[in-house]
Amino acid sequence: MASSIAVCRLHMRGRGRLVKCLQKVDTFLHRSIGTNVVAAQSEATRKDESDEKEKDGRKSLYVVQAERQEQAERSVLISCNSRTNEKKFLKHLSRHGDIKKHFFYESYGMYAVVEFANQESVASLLEEAAIPSVSHESMVPFKSRLLSLRNVGSVVSPNQQPGHQCQPQTTIPINELIQRLSREESIDQQITSLTEAYQLTEENSRLRFLVCSLLKDIAAAYFPECNIKPFGSSVNGFGKLGCDLDMFLDLDGISGRNVKMPKSGLCLEYQMKRANSERAVTQSILSVIGECVDQFGPGCAGVQKILNARCPLVRFAHQPSGFQCDLTTNNRVAMKSTELLYLYGELDPRVRFLVFTVRCWARAHGVTSSIPGAWITNFSLTVMVLFFLQRRSSPIIPTLDHLRDLAGPTDKSVIEGNDCTFVSDFSKIQLRSNTETLEQLLCGFFEFYAAFPFGMKSINIRKGKEQNKPEVAPLHIQNPFENSLNVSKNVNATQLDRFVALCQESTWLLQKSETNTPTPTPWGLASLLLPLQVAGIKSRKKRRREPASERIKSLLESLKNKNEQKTS
């Protein structure tokens, strides 16, 4: 695998299939996959402000993405020897320009991400890179920013330690996490420690944007000026190390779009083929890109074109980074949901702390799963946390309707008839005073949902209050933007009952825990992550019911004896 990645080439197998896919492309540049012009205009307006920070120092998601994408364009991904000497490695690459950032990590071998200060340095590096000679006439070279560096900077002695440190790209094992949490002095510190151990690192975030940039190089051959952006957990602030990389192929930023047709002058001449529907356009575009990724994408393996799903996508593994990737091109509502979750996470740090903790707790007990099924999803669980924080006596975060009322003209966004408008300027959002600790909030979350009337009520963060269920479903969570959709429609009664039971048991465990007494024995939050502890609680509940049964038996026996005495 490493050798095929290193030479950056793939066989031209199935060229006939690729030609057929290209013939099915329904549009070359122009497309409108269900997005209202208002949304596109809003995006264009925000681009003019991308270099400005928010008034209070916090950046909007668009500004963060723009900065990350610009970093990725100046970066390369290099496969190198595991015993590479860092100083010699950097000295060799510095011949092409100043290096701004670099780090090493492991995934199917040793890799380095190198960010240059200027994009010209990347061009200089690629000009020097040699394409390995091959004897097979059907081999077609594909130049990318995934390279292999050989015989430069290797450590002389095999026993000598490498002169660099690898950055972790996955979370620590749950047993190690429990041990770490057990050494903390309070539940608040445990929650903070868990979040620090699980959240995406600076390096992992850079790697995700770089993978998107590498995929953009492939897509740009067929859709010039396109962009590929990460969305979901990779950028909303709630991503865990090792989470999937969701990517969005954006063709709306192509120059000339939304420009009034001139009466005289030049117009771009291109052929626009007919399509039966916008969905057919999406499927054709992803079919072509999927074929290109399969045939030409260095390090891309296991490509699946899942075109008949509700949201068509291309799924594949990017082995150099270790990411499982999903690429879509008609999922703009999900992009707005990503922006909304990011905003909520930025409003108050307790939001992210609580989401990470509840998600980790849910995964430890099988409430959520990476396998599709009747489980509660991470998105549904996150919305439940947000709703709980809106329902505090002094709300920690505002409702979506309130954020919409604060929005300005540049925030206007209507996608496929859905109002996705909400404010993006943090300085316009005034929060209420709430001083609850993380421990209080975690206990409150379990108590809130242990007694929530799921049988009658629906969860709605747009209104911030319970509403009557519009449909029969065990768990009803209204989609923030597509109001007619239930994001938890997949959850069955059994899974919901189990969630409620776990909330009840976790409430009991937290009340039982003694704080400020660090001990090697799992306590507090650490005890919540032990599956055996939950089973122990169930058995204790049974034992508490046994004395009552014994008392009833004795009462019956005494009544029987009295009756016998009377008859005698």
Side-chain angles (χ1 to χ4, degrees):
M1 184 62 230
S3 61
S4 62
I5 295 174
V7 298
C8 300
R9 66 181 189 272
L10 286 172
H11 289 278
M12 278 291 290
R13 297 189 302 271
R15 280 181 290 183
R17 285 184 293 149
L18 179 60
V19 172
K20 289 180 181 179
C21 285
L22 291 173
Q23 291 173 345
K24 292 180 182 179
V25 178
D26 299 278
T27 176
F28 182 62
L29 292 176
H30 178 75
R31 64 191 272 268
S32 61
I33 310 223
T35 302
N36 192 292
V37 175
V38 176
Q41 291 174 340
S42 172
E43 189 78 1
T45 305
R46 292 187 188 186
K47 285 183 179 181
D48 297 333
E49 304 171 353
S50 61
D51 294 331
E52 298 179 4
K53 290 186 178 181
E54 300 294 345
K55 294 178 182 178
D56 60 358
R58 287 175 291 188
K59 302 176 183 178
S60 68
L61 179 60
Y62 182 82
V63 172
V64 172
Q65 284 183 312
E67 290 177 353
R68 291 292 191 197
Q69 288 171 341
E70 200 269 337
Q71 290 171 350
E73 292 296 317
R74 300 195 311 266
S75 302
V76 293
L77 184 58
I78 300 177
S79 171
C80 51
N81 192 293
S82 60
R83 296 185 294 110
T84 296
N85 181 277
E86 185 173 6
K87 290 183 179 179
K88 293 182 179 179
F89 174 80
L90 294 176
K91 182 178 179 181
H92 179 78
L93 295 179
S94 295
R95 296 184 295 108
H96 300 280
D98 294 335
I99 296 174
K100 195 170 183 180
K101 174 80 175 181
H102 76 280
F103 62 91
F104 294 87
Y105 71 93
E106 290 186 16
S107 173
Y108 294 93
M110 185 69 64
Y111 287 88
V113 173
V114 180
E115 178 197 345
F116 287 95
N118 299 296
Q119 200 163 350
E120 290 76 14
S121 299
V122 176
S124 172
L125 185 67
L126 294 178
E127 286 178 6
E128 182 189 83
I131 298 175
S133 58
V134 290
S135 57
H136 200 290
E137 61 180 5
S138 297
M139 299 297 288
V140 177
F142 177 80
K143 272 198 169 184
S144 77
R145 283 175 288 144
L146 174 58
L147 305 107
S148 177
L149 189 63
R150 301 176 180 177
N151 303 322
V152 174
S154 295
V155 178
V156 178
S157 172
N159 297 323
Q160 187 175 350
Q161 294 296 321
H164 58 77
Q165 181 180 3
C166 286
Q167 295 295 327
Q169 303 300 315
T170 56
T171 56
I172 61 176
I174 187 68
N175 292 338
E176 184 179 334
L177 176 66
I178 291 173
Q179 292 176 6
R180 179 184 298 187
L181 299 183
S182 299
R183 292 190 293 267
E184 299 294 347
E185 297 182 353
S186 68
I187 292 180
D188 277 45
Q189 291 179 5
Q190 288 181 331
I191 294 174
T192 303
S193 180
L194 182 148
T195 304
E196 291 174 349
Y198 268 43
Q199 67 186 353
L200 298 183
T201 61
E202 163 76 11
E203 291 79 13
N204 192 267
S205 181
R206 284 174 174 265
L207 183 58
R208 289 172 184 272
F209 275 88
L210 177 54
V211 172
C212 289
S213 183
L214 296 178
L215 264 292
K216 171 190 168 183
D217 292 344
I218 298 174
Y222 298 94
F223 303 103
E225 300 181 35
C226 72
N227 199 359
I228 292 184
K229 304 175 181 178
F231 70 96
S233 295
S234 294
V235 289
N236 64 19
F238 302 110
K240 185 182 79 169
L241 279 172
C243 67
D244 293 349
L245 173 57
D246 295 315
M247 299 182 289
F248 176 76
L249 174 63
D250 186 8
L251 304 181
D252 291 332
I254 296 172
S255 59
R257 293 290 306 274
N258 304 316
V259 176
K260 187 177 180 180
M261 185 70 71
K263 293 182 179 179
S264 61
L266 293 174
C267 272
L268 186 64
E269 185 72 21
Y270 63 93
Q271 182 180 9
M272 180 172 24
K273 296 185 178 180
R274 293 183 179 180
N276 295 329
S277 65
E278 293 168 351
R279 179 179 175 82
V281 175
T282 300
Q283 291 172 326
S284 295
I285 291 173
L286 288 177
S287 180
V288 172
I289 299 302
E291 192 73 17
C292 294
V293 170
D294 193 17
Q295 298 295 330
F296 306 123
C300 298
V303 178
Q304 303 175 61
K305 294 184 285 185
I306 309 174
L307 304 180
N308 292 322
R310 179 178 175 271
C311 179
L313 58 92
V314 174
R315 176 169 293 165
F316 59 94
H318 188 260
Q319 294 186 334
S321 64
F323 296 142
Q324 181 70 35
C325 304
D326 286 347
L327 175 66
T328 64
T329 189
N330 185 18
N331 204 7
R332 289 170 178 78
V333 173
M335 297 288 288
K336 291 301 292 186
S337 296
T338 299
E339 186 180 351
L340 178 65
L341 294 188
Y342 172 84
L343 183 142
Y344 274 132
E346 285 288 302
L347 287 178
D348 191 301
R350 291 173 294 180
V351 178
R352 286 200 178 110
F353 286 130
L354 193 59
V355 168
F356 270 101
T357 303
V358 171
R359 279 188 175 186
C360 182
W361 165 85
R363 190 59 181 268
H365 296 294
V367 173
T368 58
S369 175
S370 57
I371 304 172
W375 297 275
I376 299 175
T377 64
N378 275 332
F379 179 72
S380 295
L381 204 59
T382 302
V383 175
M384 294 174 78
V385 173
L386 297 178
F387 183 74
F388 160 73
L389 295 175
Q390 291 174 338
R391 297 294 292 151
R392 304 309 287 161
S393 56
S394 180
I396 293 178
I397 55 175
T399 65
L400 179 53
D401 276 351
H402 182 67
L403 295 178
R404 181 197 59 194
D405 295 339
L406 295 175
T410 60
D411 296 316
K412 183 69 176 177
S413 177
V414 179
I415 302 175
E416 298 177 359
N418 299 299
D419 186 3
C420 301
T421 303
F422 57 89
V423 66
S424 60
D425 186 348
F426 288 100
S427 64
K428 293 181 180 180
I429 305 172
Q430 301 298 321
L431 301 177
R432 297 189 189 181
S433 176
N434 182 301
T435 58
E436 290 180 281
T437 65
L438 292 171
E439 178 181 353
Q440 290 172 329
L441 290 175
L442 184 61
C443 291
F445 174 86
F446 292 131
E447 292 174 356
F448 182 80
Y449 284 111
F452 190 84
F454 288 107
M456 299 178 295
K457 298 297 183 179
S458 170
I459 294 170
N460 183 355
I461 64 170
R462 180 170 283 280
K463 302 294 182 183
K465 60 183 179 181
E466 298 91 343
Q467 293 186 307
N468 293 329
K469 279 187 180 181
E471 63 181 39
V472 178
L475 176 61
H476 191 280
I477 303 175
Q478 188 182 86
N479 187 301
F481 298 120
E482 298 177 279
N483 299 334
S484 61
L485 297 181
N486 173 15
V487 300
S488 57
K489 193 171 185 177
N490 62 300
V491 180
N492 60 27
T494 302
Q495 292 299 322
L496 179 60
D497 291 343
R498 190 167 179 274
F499 169 76
V500 173
L502 283 166
C503 285
Q504 294 170 345
E505 293 165 354
S506 297
T507 300
W508 185 87
L509 263 181
L510 285 177
Q511 291 173 349
K512 171 180 174 292
S513 294
E514 297 180 4
T515 58
N516 300 319
T517 55
T519 170
T521 304
W523 69 279
L525 175 57
S527 66
L528 297 188
L529 305 181
L530 291 172
L532 294 178
Q533 190 76 9
V534 173
I537 294 171
K538 290 180 179 178
S539 63
R540 280 195 295 273
K541 286 184 175 179
K542 290 178 182 178
R543 285 199 295 271
R544 284 200 299 269
R545 287 195 293 267
E546 286 173 2
S549 301
E550 291 299 326
R551 286 195 299 271
I552 293 173
K553 286 182 181 179
S554 342
L555 180 60
L556 291 174
E557 286 294 329
S558 64
L559 290 173
K560 182 180 178 182
N561 293 334
K562 286 181 181 179
N563 288 333
E564 289 177 351
Q565 290 173 1
K566 286 181 181 180
T567 55
S568 62

